[in-house]
Amino acid sequence: MAMITDYDCWKPNEAHVTVEMVIANLRMNATTAKTIIAEVIPKIPTEPNWPCHYALKDAIMTDKKLWPSKTVKELEPL
């Protein structure tokens, strides 16, 4: 999911945004992303024969034995 934080980056005639504006957009985007994810995850079918069940299979290449326990807990919902 891509979300924009710096709306003047492609508009040369627009006033430049401030760091505060970028951070505010980043925070708003994070809230939006969390809402979308919370809404979408329960809609993933429970049968393990759907492609979405394996969408993140290769997203992390580090051997699971090397994952810190904190990381394992944080990734639990996925």
Side-chain angles (χ1 to χ4, degrees), residues 3-11 14 17 25 28-29:
M3 301 180 120
I4 298 166
T5 58
D6 188 354
Y7 291 93
D8 73 338
C9 64
W10 69 89
K11 296 180 176 181
E14 290 285 323
V17 298
N25 284 331
M28 197 167 45
N29 288 345

Side-chain angles (χ1 to χ4, degrees), residues 40-62:
V40 170
I41 286 180
K43 294 179 181 180
I44 297 174
T46 56
E47 299 85 34
N49 59 347
W50 286 74
C52 54
H53 283 97
Y54 307 102
L56 296 175
K57 185 180 107 194
D58 297 318
I60 300 174
M61 298 164 109
T62 306

Side-chain angles (χ1 to χ4, degrees), residues 17-42:
V17 298
T18 64
V19 171
E20 291 79 13
M21 292 167 71
V22 171
I23 299 298
N25 284 331
L26 178 65
R27 288 186 174 136
M28 197 167 45
N29 288 345
T31 299
T32 301
K34 288 175 186 177
T35 300
I36 291 168
I37 290 168
E39 188 173 320
V40 170
I41 286 180

